[in-house]
Amino acid sequence: MITTDAFYIPVPLPTGPDTKRDIRTLSEMHEFLSGWPCVRVSPSYEAARRTCSAARAGRLSVEQARRALLTFAQSADFLGYKHPAMPRTGQQ
């Protein structure tokens, strides 16, 4: 059985003021989250980190990890736009 840690749709996240990086795999997600500043840890960050670890261990799906990363990105206002796989809800 061949398994992959690749996301079906990459998640674009900022790496600097004017640059973005497409997160395409669980490994890239883990690397991004591992480099996140400790002073900026939030509940959605912790959920994304735990979900990534569980997906890497085969306990959750790659898609569940991707959705957790999208939730974190949305809560940190990284996306700045309506992502096709993560509709915004509530008042705008």
Side-chain angles (χ1 to χ4, degrees):
M1 180 170 125
I2 297 173
T3 61
T4 179
D5 75 342
F7 296 159
Y8 181 67
I9 300 172
V11 178
L13 296 177
T15 55
D18 297 319
T19 59
K20 288 193 178 200
R21 171 183 175 191
D22 284 342
I23 305 298
R24 300 174 184 277
T25 66
L26 287 174
S27 298
E28 290 177 4
M29 178 180 173
H30 175 74
E31 179 185 324
F32 179 83
L33 294 172
S34 294
W36 190 249
C38 293
V39 296
R40 297 187 62 197
V41 170
S42 66
S44 62
Y45 163 85
E46 289 293 343
R49 188 185 55 75
R50 283 191 311 273
T51 304
C52 181
S53 293
R56 292 179 78 198
R59 294 188 307 270
L60 293 175
S61 72
V62 171
E63 181 58 22
Q64 286 171 303
R66 181 182 167 276
R67 288 184 183 270
L69 182 60
L70 282 169
T71 298
F72 169 58
Q74 188 175 36
S75 71
D77 201 24
F78 285 157
L79 298 179
Y81 62 93
K82 184 177 176 182
H83 193 279
M86 182 60 85
R88 290 185 181 214
T89 58
Q91 294 181 339
Q92 299 274 339

